[in-house]
Amino acid sequence: MGFDQYHEPAAELSAEGRTFARMITSLSEEAEAISWYQQRIELEPDPEAKAIMLNAQGEEFKHFGMDLEFLLRRTPDWRVALKTILFTDGDIVQKGEQAEDAESR
């Protein structure tokens, strides 16, 4: 199995850079798993099986959140940008524009 999370030679990356790449890969894999469960849930006719899948999807979502929080703690600019967008009301695109401005300060 290859290690596709590295775009550059892993040996040339710092330990922090390799951990960052692993966490980005983990975040992506959790998002993919959430999507796969959603597709299965939408098609599953058996209520008990659907309940199990919903539970499993919730676990993947929790893992996604933990991965994201790990990355945000190490990239303060991301945290500033996401505080402008997440858990707010209003136009999401406009919030994204505001996040770019906040990030560049």
Side-chain angles (χ1 to χ4, degrees), residues 21-37:
R22 286 187 206 106
M23 292 305 292
I24 289 288
T25 299
S26 181
L27 185 74
S28 176
E29 289 170 351
E30 298 299 346
E32 186 174 47
I34 292 165
S35 176
W36 289 348
Y37 275 114

Side-chain angles (χ1 to χ4, degrees), residues 13-49:
L13 296 172
S14 67
E16 294 82 10
R18 290 189 306 274
T19 295
F20 186 87
R22 286 187 206 106
M23 292 305 292
I24 289 288
T25 299
S26 181
L27 185 74
S28 176
E29 289 170 351
E30 298 299 346
E32 186 174 47
I34 292 165
S35 176
W36 289 348
Y37 275 114
Q38 186 61 37
Q39 293 171 47
R40 293 173 190 152
I41 289 163
E42 287 188 23
L43 298 178
E44 182 52 56
D46 184 286
E48 187 174 25

Side-chain angles (χ1 to χ4, degrees), residues 7-88:
H7 181 70
E8 299 295 332
E12 295 180 29
L13 296 172
S14 67
E16 294 82 10
R18 290 189 306 274
T19 295
F20 186 87
R22 286 187 206 106
M23 292 305 292
I24 289 288
T25 299
S26 181
L27 185 74
S28 176
E29 289 170 351
E30 298 299 346
E32 186 174 47
I34 292 165
S35 176
W36 289 348
Y37 275 114
Q38 186 61 37
Q39 293 171 47
R40 293 173 190 152
I41 289 163
E42 287 188 23
L43 298 178
E44 182 52 56
D46 184 286
E48 187 174 25
K50 186 179 252 186
I52 292 167
M53 290 178 207
L54 281 164
N55 182 275
Q57 185 187 44
E59 287 293 313
E60 301 299 347
F61 191 71
K62 180 181 74 176
H63 299 157
F64 178 90
M66 292 185 319
D67 290 347
L68 182 59
E69 181 61 22
F70 178 91
L71 292 163
L72 291 175
R73 288 181 183 186
R74 283 154 179 81
T75 49
D77 286 349
W78 289 11
R79 184 173 289 282
V80 169
L82 290 185
K83 280 185 176 181
T84 307
I85 300 167
L86 298 176
F87 310 108
T88 63

